[in-house]
Amino acid sequence: MHFSSAKPSGGFTMENGSVENGVCSSESVNGSRDIWSCKDSDSLSVDHLVVMVHGILGSTTDWKFAAEQFVKVLPDKVFVHRSERNVSRLTLDGVDVMGERLAEEVIEVIRRRPNLCKISFVAHSVGGLVARYAIGRLYRPPNRENMEDSSAERHEGDSRGTIAGLKAMNFITVATPHLGSRGNKQVPFLFGVPAFEKVASSVIHLIFRRTGQHLFLTDADEGKPPLLKCMIEDYGDCYFMSALCTFKRRVAYSNVGYDHIVGWRTSCIRRNSDLPKWEGTRNENYPHVVFEEHCKAYDDDQCEPTSIEDDGSDKLEEELVTGLSRVSWEKVDVSFHSSRHRFAAHSVIQVKDQSMHIEGADVINHMIDHFLL
């Protein structure tokens, strides 16, 4: 059933709505998609906003399957918003520009839904970096008078700030290049050939424009460090790490192979020497999940020095690993090595297209089953 407009609880009107299997969806004039339970009793009790962010050259449809599954399983708990502010070629404008847009979009959604109390992010590929930037903008410290001593706010267990006034719950990335895409086999389709990787770094801006520069760490705006380096600390008026620490849990889903866009190491935030050895399925309910690890937070002085040359990484990449390891992470490694569409692992892991990528449904189920409410 389709209808021209819908008004879910919260009092805002949206266009091009539809109802299917008890799940309501509506499209705003800007193209974003909101998903919620059609039952009035469920809608009234929903207080948890889940923001889903697509990757480069993506669209709101990329998370359609996952969004509907979240609402079907958690009908009285979540309201899902599929971001639309950075669709298609707008994803080439840079991680920071996209992050600003996403932050504004989230604020608009919260204003329309005054009953929301909690917030989570689920982001694919570059969308994970965009979400990390956005939360740095949306972060509100517990006590602004104490922000001069921001280091005191970064230790888990301290009083937490909020994200745009909401309690931060889950920050989930899926095949996100947290360490960038520069060299060291971080982009598998370059085959790890140094000459190819060097050429890619010098021409990537011609293809992926400013976003490409951020991914390959070749940006140096006004003499600043590369953006991804800035994002491993509170930088200027962006509280990147304070915001990340505010979430109850952080999760990185990664493809161990066949992802020709984002390498395993960069998506799971590990050094070469830390990559686990996996043998196969660990749980029949999630046949493609081959390894799970809970990594506790480390202070800088707790991180053991690593030989950069022996580990096959570079100094900047090591700084990114160390910086992001100052907060705890749940790391979930996924393999589609025996799947029919394994060469499309980057899309299968999020079920980008339900008809082609449905083999990744167990990853979405894993995400929902472990979701903190």
Side-chain angles (χ1 to χ4, degrees):
M1 178 174 66
H2 293 269
F3 48 92
S4 60
S5 64
K7 181 176 284 190
S9 61
F12 64 95
T13 301
M14 305 187 80
E15 304 299 328
N16 302 322
S18 64
V19 178
E20 185 175 347
N21 297 323
V23 174
C24 289
S25 67
S26 58
E27 183 175 354
S28 73
V29 293
N30 294 321
S32 64
R33 275 281 179 180
D34 290 330
I35 314 290
W36 71 96
S37 172
C38 292
K39 291 178 62 176
D40 288 341
S41 58
D42 290 339
S43 295
L44 291 173
S45 63
V46 165
D47 65 353
H48 194 151
L49 171 63
V50 180
V51 180
M52 292 189 167
V53 189
H54 58 74
I56 200 163
L57 298 177
S59 72
T60 59
T61 62
D62 293 357
W63 278 116
K64 182 178 185 297
F65 175 81
E68 292 175 350
Q69 292 303 114
F70 262 82
V71 172
K72 288 177 182 177
V73 177
L74 306 170
D76 60 337
K77 304 295 184 182
V78 300
F79 179 89
V80 181
H81 176 79
R82 287 186 281 148
S83 173
E84 54 78 27
R85 204 59 59 88
N86 295 300
V87 298
S88 190
R89 293 184 62 82
L90 292 176
T91 58
L92 307 181
D93 292 343
V95 171
D96 52 352
V97 173
M98 289 189 285
E100 296 284 356
R101 292 180 190 141
L102 178 60
E104 293 174 0
E105 182 178 6
V106 170
I107 290 173
E108 290 174 8
V109 174
I110 294 172
R111 286 173 178 166
R112 295 198 302 261
R113 303 282 302 193
N115 55 313
L116 294 172
C117 300
K118 306 170 187 175
I119 188 169
S120 293
F121 286 80
V122 180
H124 179 247
S125 194
V126 174
L129 300 178
V130 175
R132 278 177 50 200
Y133 189 98
I135 63 172
R137 277 298 196 191
L138 295 169
Y139 176 74
R140 295 180 184 174
N143 188 336
R144 289 191 177 277
E145 285 75 18
N146 292 336
M147 281 313 296
E148 287 79 11
D149 184 17
S150 60
S151 61
E153 303 294 339
R154 292 183 187 163
H155 292 84
E156 293 178 308
D158 289 353
S159 58
R160 299 173 185 268
T162 66
I163 299 299
L166 304 186
K167 187 176 182 179
M169 303 300 290
N170 309 267
F171 189 86
I172 302 171
T173 63
V174 182
T176 289
H178 289 285
L179 309 181
S181 303
R182 184 179 71 175
N184 302 312
K185 302 181 181 180
Q186 298 288 42
V187 181
F189 74 78
L190 296 175
F191 307 109
V193 178
F196 291 175
E197 294 175 341
K198 184 175 182 180
V199 171
S201 294
S202 61
V203 302
I204 194 66
H205 67 284
L206 300 176
I207 305 171
F208 294 115
R209 301 195 326 220
R210 199 154 177 268
T211 300
Q213 291 180 318
H214 288 152
L215 290 174
F216 277 76
L217 309 172
T218 58
D219 59 304
D221 297 341
E222 300 177 356
K224 298 178 182 177
L227 180 62
L228 295 193
K229 181 178 180 180
C230 296
M231 287 170 59
I232 61 172
E233 58 186 346
D234 291 348
Y235 191 91
D237 57 354
C238 291
Y239 301 105
F240 298 122
M241 288 304 291
S242 290
L244 200 56
C245 186
T246 296
F247 285 82
K248 293 279 190 180
R249 61 192 290 260
R250 290 151 297 279
V251 191
Y253 285 83
S254 310
N255 281 311
V256 303
Y258 290 102
D259 189 328
H260 299 290
I261 307 299
V262 177
W264 185 14
R265 193 169 79 243
T266 187
S267 58
C268 70
I269 317 173
R270 292 187 181 106
R271 303 173 182 86
N272 264 340
S273 57
D274 295 330
L275 292 175
K277 297 186 183 301
W278 58 275
E279 297 180 355
T281 301
R282 299 166 61 88
N283 188 322
E284 62 181 12
N285 293 324
Y286 318 112
H288 297 108
V289 174
V290 296
F291 196 86
E292 295 183 65
E293 182 179 19
H294 289 249
C295 301
K296 65 180 182 179
Y298 285 94
D299 292 330
D300 290 341
D301 56 358
Q302 289 179 298
C303 295
E304 296 181 4
T306 302
S307 172
I308 294 174
E309 182 177 349
D310 293 342
D311 196 55
S313 60
D314 60 26
K315 181 179 179 182
L316 184 51
E317 182 182 314
E318 175 63 24
E319 290 178 2
L320 298 181
V321 174
T322 301
L324 289 171
S325 297
R326 294 202 306 270
V327 293
S328 63
W329 288 89
E330 297 171 33
K331 299 179 181 180
V332 183
D333 301 299
V334 176
S335 174
F336 296 104
H337 67 283
S338 60
S339 301
R340 180 181 176 187
H341 296 288
R342 58 185 176 276
F343 291 103
H346 192 66
S347 297
V348 175
I349 196 172
Q350 74 160 153
V351 193
K352 183 175 182 178
D353 183 310
Q354 185 174 347
S355 63
M356 292 182 60
H357 307 137
I358 194 61
E359 288 178 295
D362 64 304
V363 179
I364 303 302
N365 292 337
H366 183 281
M367 199 180 297
I368 296 171
D369 291 345
H370 293 79
F371 201 73
L372 189 62
L373 296 168

